[in-house]
Amino acid sequence: MDPIWLGLAALASSTLTGVFGVGGGVLLIVLMAQFVPPAVLIPLHALVMLFSNTQRSYLQRAHVQWAYVKPFVIGSIVGVLLVGAWATQVPTQVGQIALAVFVLVSTWRPNWLRLKSWPPVFSGSLTSALTMFLGATGPLVMSVLPRSDWNKREVVGTHGMVMTFQHGLKAIAFLGLGFALSEWWIALVAMCVGASIGNLLGARLLGHVPEANFKLWINLLLTALAVRLLAQSLL
């Protein structure tokens, strides 16, 4: 029954991300942790999110801001190469606290960090380095995007595209480190099917989300995810 439950988890998480552009990766990794051993959790999550983000960015391809994506990807390559060998060295609790604090500050006090004014090559390098340690860093990436300058489809499409490259790079790194994909292919297929259905449903629901409320809802969702991470790591 585990592949069925994992497929349903992927469906729910992809629907959430298809509507708001963020949140599904964190939800999925929490649900996967109930069925998947810690040693393969992040590599398997990376492969599922690679598939899910590829489909989602394709559905919103007409709205992707490529002028931002291209330098972001260059920075992502640098970030993964710099920290790939140390991807398993940071304690989970430390990583969760760091991610939660970073998301909260960048969402509600962005002037403290000025991340949205960073060149995308630096944003890509930082977030990609962190994703090797933390797994689900969709909220982190969303927090550094210049969302105030884009409409909702540009936000979802561009976020999906940069996450596609980040998860792709991470998947390559973990496969190179010896992750045994053959032992988990049934679960992977089930989750990819669930993610595909969720992406189609999320894209349909996105059209019914009012543009005026979209960015506020993203900020509230980012805050909820960060608070959940803090509670999980401290309690």
Side-chain angles (χ1 to χ4, degrees), residues 8-151:
L8 291 174
L11 188 155
S13 63
S14 293
T15 301
L16 177 66
T17 309
V19 175
F20 293 107
V22 69
V26 176
L27 173 62
L28 181 60
I29 203 168
V30 170
L31 294 175
M32 286 176 63
Q34 313 305 313
F35 304 97
V36 178
V40 298
L41 180 60
I42 291 181
L44 188 61
H45 178 268
L47 291 168
V48 177
M49 295 307 297
L50 170 60
F51 174 85
S52 182
N53 281 288
T54 299
Q55 183 188 30
R56 181 164 54 257
S57 57
Y58 177 79
L59 292 172
Q60 303 295 342
R61 62 192 181 280
H63 307 282
V64 174
Q65 297 294 302
W66 284 104
Y68 187 91
V69 171
K70 292 176 181 178
F72 191 99
V73 171
I74 293 174
S76 295
I77 295 172
V78 173
V80 170
L81 290 176
L82 286 176
V83 305
W86 296 279
T88 61
Q89 303 299 314
V90 176
T92 300
Q93 185 181 35
V94 173
Q96 288 177 331
I97 294 173
L99 176 58
V101 171
F102 196 98
V103 169
L104 287 172
V105 172
S106 59
T107 297
W108 297 110
R109 290 293 184 269
N111 56 307
W112 292 1
L113 302 174
R114 303 185 185 277
L115 289 176
K116 294 180 178 64
S117 63
W118 283 20
V121 66
F122 292 120
S123 298
S125 180
L126 172 65
T127 57
S128 294
L130 290 175
T131 197
M132 293 296 295
F133 299 109
L134 305 177
T137 50
L140 173 63
V141 175
M142 180 65 79
S143 70
V144 305
L145 296 181
R147 301 190 305 276
S148 59
D149 301 330
W150 300 340
N151 63 42

Side-chain angles (χ1 to χ4, degrees), residues 142 147 150-159 214 218:
M142 180 65 79
R147 301 190 305 276
W150 300 340
N151 63 42
K152 61 185 181 183
R153 293 192 180 277
E154 289 171 335
V155 170
V156 173
T158 305
H159 183 266
F214 180 74
I218 284 183

